[in-house]
Amino acid sequence: DGGITQSPKYLFRKEGQNVTLSCEQNLNHDAMYWYRQDPGQGLRLIYYSQIVNDFQKGDIAEGYSVSREKKESFPLTVTSAQKNPTAFYLCASLGTFFGELFFGEGSRLTVL
Amino acid sequence: AQSVTQPDIHITVSEGASLELRCNYSYGATPYLFWYVQSPGQGLQLLLKYFSGDTLVQGIKGFEAEFKRSQSSFNLRKPSVHWSDAAEYFCAVGAEGGSYIPTFGRGTSLIVHP
């Protein structure tokens, strides 16, 4: 089945550690996005990539990094510079027609 | 810049009652408009979308939404709510041209009483 796979679903991190969240899609979509979700704040854009080897900062990129070496993959690294990383992270890709986003199941990161 | 407002943080309805979730957007031209639903701990699923044509659009799970240009609104409706509809609902707006970055509202949490 086509879709977006995020892993891990749950992740615990100690302060000062970097962690990488995986996002893989087999929908052959060019554009991919990372959002952060906190209670009552909706979805906030971290990074997006319109094409392989290119990505742009979103509204809250500080403390995060990404890469886009393959069309299928858009991993997000939460660095130790991110001051409040505990959140739910959502990866999405952009459908071919009319702007529909396809979402993964999300990854919940908890900093201990 | 485009923006989306969902004025209701929480909505509580009884099972079987009708539902309307409000969404107002700000954008200069005709936008693409979407409603997504999110169950706890899950990703978002598209309910319906509007981009042109008939202003009343039908979606999955018995939902519909009406685009009203004069009011800059795209309200989501359902005639009879089921307990399984309890979830978070997000309205979103997108537009052609340049980098495509959809903007989401803050969401409305739907609580369904038996």
Side-chain angles (χ1 to χ4, degrees), chain A residues 69-91:
Chain A
E69 297 176 1
K70 300 186 300 182
K71 188 175 186 178
E72 301 80 19
S73 179
F74 190 40
L76 173 73
T77 296
V78 185
T79 75
S80 57
Q82 169 49 234
K83 298 197 185 318
N84 184 21
T86 294
F88 190 57
Y89 293 88
L90 286 160
C91 179

Side-chain angles (χ1 to χ4, degrees), chain A residues 6-66:
Chain A
Q6 290 187 239
S7 62
K9 188 163 180 66
Y10 300 96
L11 185 60
F12 298 89
R13 188 195 94 174
K14 293 181 180 179
E15 285 193 20
Q17 288 181 334
N18 292 354
V19 294
T20 297
L21 307 181
S22 170
C23 178
E24 302 280 331
Q25 56 107 350
N26 59 5
L27 300 168
N28 199 34
H29 292 163
D30 287 315
M32 297 184 74
Y33 306 78
W34 273 106
Y35 289 92
R36 171 178 171 146
Q37 186 177 20
D38 297 282
Q41 297 198 45
L43 276 66
R44 293 184 290 167
L45 182 66
I46 305 172
Y47 269 97
Y48 66 100
S49 168
Q50 291 188 287
I51 199 166
V52 176
N53 293 322
D54 181 67
F55 48 83
Q56 305 295 328
K57 293 181 179 180
D59 301 318
I60 57 165
E62 185 176 351
Y64 300 97
S65 67
V66 294

Side-chain angles (χ1 to χ4, degrees), chain B residues 36-110:
Chain B
Y36 292 85
V37 61
Q38 183 185 33
S39 297
Q42 302 293 314
L44 277 68
Q45 179 186 20
L46 182 72
L47 283 175
L48 46 78
K49 60 190 174 190
Y50 171 81
F51 47 89
S52 67
D54 193 346
T55 57
L56 184 64
V57 293
Q58 303 296 321
I60 62 171
K61 305 185 181 188
F63 286 91
E64 67 178 24
E66 186 171 14
F67 170 60
K68 293 185 177 180
R69 185 190 303 276
S70 62
Q71 299 177 19
S72 296
S73 69
F74 189 57
N75 294 348
L76 181 71
R77 301 194 295 247
K78 187 170 185 179
S80 178
V81 171
H82 188 261
W83 64 267
S84 60
D85 293 323
E88 190 88 14
Y89 291 81
F90 292 93
C91 182
V93 61
E96 283 187 308
S99 298
Y100 184 83
I101 304 175
T103 300
F104 287 81
R106 292 198 168 194
T108 297
S109 177
L110 175 64

